[in-house]
Amino acid sequence: MLSRADHIGSLLRPKRLREAFRSHSIGHIAELELRAAQDLAIRDVVRLQEDCGLEVITDGEFRRISYWEKFVRLTKGLEVRDAVFTFHDAAGHESNFTAPYVSGKVARGDPITLDEFDFLSRLTKRIQKVTMPAPSTMHFYRFTDWGSAYKDAEAFFADLGRVYQEEIAQLAAAGCRYVQLDEVAVAILCDPAAREKVKAKGEDPDRLVDLYIDAINQAVKNAPPQVTLGVHVCRGNYKGMYLSEGGYDSVAERFFGRTNVHHFLLEFDTPRAGGFDPLRFVPKGKGVVLGLISSKTAVLEDLSLLQRRTEEAARYVDLSNLAISPQCGFASTMGGNPITEADQRAKLELCVRAAQTIWN
């Protein structure tokens, strides 16, 4: 299943929803009131996606504070501490952030995304996509001190993998047919500066890449055959900022060749992401969703340029196995990127228009 116009998952939270989250966090409204605000906002955002012509629909990640927050909150053995990396932008501004930390043995508690899918499935007959952070999210942002509950990372990822396996199995039983894992660490490990930082702290960046590929494969092991699995790879997305730069060259052969998913959703919206040459390592028959449209800026990409760039990518992956999307979500965290809801709509509509033009 490869929809020609896809999107990564998160969408701008409307003001009323952001206010409801804040009110709930300080005890001014109860859980039921927050849930009602989420329900209303999700109904609206599903209608938005359908109006734009998208065949792949998400709930906008409207039940989460960030793309990984709910996974950490509902998984036993995880908590939140400061990360060892910083976000930055082209002007040199930096921003610290928090990240998951392993405080004990990891196990699945309550279902993590099942409520998201159950509600979404009642709102639309189109393809319903559920997103989850990739396993590396729970390790890489604090790789120098990710926890002491396990003798090694391999043992940790074995337990964490069972959390994903159980979640995916339950989603499939409920009727979910599209699951996407959001992978950032592997993209960061393409960046020469980040690789040097990792080495300086005594770790081998190539070992981490292999570790994280194995962790994804563990997570999707035994996934029911009716579930399409995608991995989204990007360089970070926080209020228009990013974590790294550099093409996929140093990881492409291993990552594309060994990761057991059906397709890859890749960031290609700026020169920071490098060229299409690494796509030559994508196995025949696997798909690539080209993230050619930026979710970080309001500037609307030229349709003819999108068409030309897709044709360039088709030199490495057959056009029948390509699709188009924004490079990342519009709101990986509650604050969202520095664009308006009107900008977001225009970008989603452009995805659909480009897909119709390119694949006719």
Side-chain angles (χ1 to χ4, degrees), residues 104-121:
K105 293 294 184 181
V106 170
R108 185 170 178 260
D110 294 328
I112 301 163
T113 59
L114 186 62
D115 63 328
E116 298 174 354
F117 175 76
D118 282 344
F119 189 72
L120 181 63
S121 66

Side-chain angles (χ1 to χ4, degrees), residues 101-163:
Y101 176 80
V102 184
S103 58
K105 293 294 184 181
V106 170
R108 185 170 178 260
D110 294 328
I112 301 163
T113 59
L114 186 62
D115 63 328
E116 298 174 354
F117 175 76
D118 282 344
F119 189 72
L120 181 63
S121 66
R122 297 197 298 270
L123 300 180
T124 183
K125 298 300 183 184
R126 301 186 188 184
I127 300 166
Q128 301 126 34
K129 175 161 71 172
V130 170
T131 66
M132 286 186 277
S136 64
T137 310
M138 318 306 157
H139 179 272
F140 180 66
Y141 295 135
R142 291 188 53 86
F143 73 92
T144 56
D145 177 23
W146 55 274
S148 58
Y150 291 89
K151 62 182 177 68
D152 55 40
E154 287 79 4
F156 162 63
F157 281 124
D159 277 358
L160 184 64
R162 283 188 280 274
V163 174

Side-chain angles (χ1 to χ4, degrees), residues 46-278:
V46 166
R47 189 158 48 247
L48 163 69
Q49 293 168 79
E50 290 187 338
D51 289 348
C52 289
L54 290 163
E55 289 298 323
V56 175
I57 309 294
T58 75
D59 72 347
E61 300 182 359
F62 280 5
R63 300 201 193 277
R64 316 177 191 182
I65 293 172
S66 73
Y67 79 99
W68 55 257
E69 174 271 335
K70 190 165 176 250
F71 191 102
V72 171
R73 170 164 44 93
L74 295 178
T75 300
K76 297 176 182 177
L78 297 176
E79 62 179 55
V80 179
R81 297 192 183 181
D82 290 335
V84 299
F85 293 93
T86 58
F87 278 95
H88 49 276
D89 62 18
H93 303 120
E94 293 193 354
S95 178
N96 295 321
F97 66 105
T98 56
Y101 176 80
V102 184
S103 58
K105 293 294 184 181
V106 170
R108 185 170 178 260
D110 294 328
I112 301 163
T113 59
L114 186 62
D115 63 328
E116 298 174 354
F117 175 76
D118 282 344
F119 189 72
L120 181 63
S121 66
R122 297 197 298 270
L123 300 180
T124 183
K125 298 300 183 184
R126 301 186 188 184
I127 300 166
Q128 301 126 34
K129 175 161 71 172
V130 170
T131 66
M132 286 186 277
S136 64
T137 310
M138 318 306 157
H139 179 272
F140 180 66
Y141 295 135
R142 291 188 53 86
F143 73 92
T144 56
D145 177 23
W146 55 274
S148 58
Y150 291 89
K151 62 182 177 68
D152 55 40
E154 287 79 4
F156 162 63
F157 281 124
D159 277 358
L160 184 64
R162 283 188 280 274
V163 174
Y164 285 90
Q165 292 168 26
E166 293 168 12
E167 185 74 13
I168 292 171
Q170 195 165 4
L171 284 167
C176 181
R177 297 294 179 265
Y178 187 3
V179 173
Q180 171 188 298
L181 301 182
D182 292 314
E183 173 62 64
V184 179
V186 169
I188 295 176
L189 290 166
C190 297
D191 186 333
R195 290 173 66 85
E196 288 305 313
K197 183 172 183 177
V198 168
K199 290 177 183 177
K201 292 183 178 294
E203 184 56 271
D204 178 0
D206 289 321
R207 188 192 83 86
L208 289 180
V209 171
D210 288 332
L211 180 69
Y212 298 151
I213 293 170
D214 291 342
I216 291 173
N217 291 341
Q218 180 75 9
V220 302
K221 184 180 178 182
N222 302 321
Q226 68 269 27
V227 177
T228 295
L229 300 166
V231 171
H232 165 232
V233 187
C234 84
R235 294 156 181 79
N237 182 41
Y238 175 66
K239 296 183 177 180
M241 296 177 139
Y242 54 89
L243 284 166
S244 66
E245 53 189 276
Y248 299 106
D249 305 75
S250 64
V251 304
E253 187 170 8
R254 284 174 294 158
F255 188 74
F256 296 146
R258 289 212 301 115
T259 306
N260 296 329
V261 296
H262 298 99
H263 63 256
F264 303 93
L265 303 98
L266 303 176
E267 178 181 12
F268 283 115
D269 63 318
T270 71
R272 284 192 300 107
F276 296 126
D277 188 59

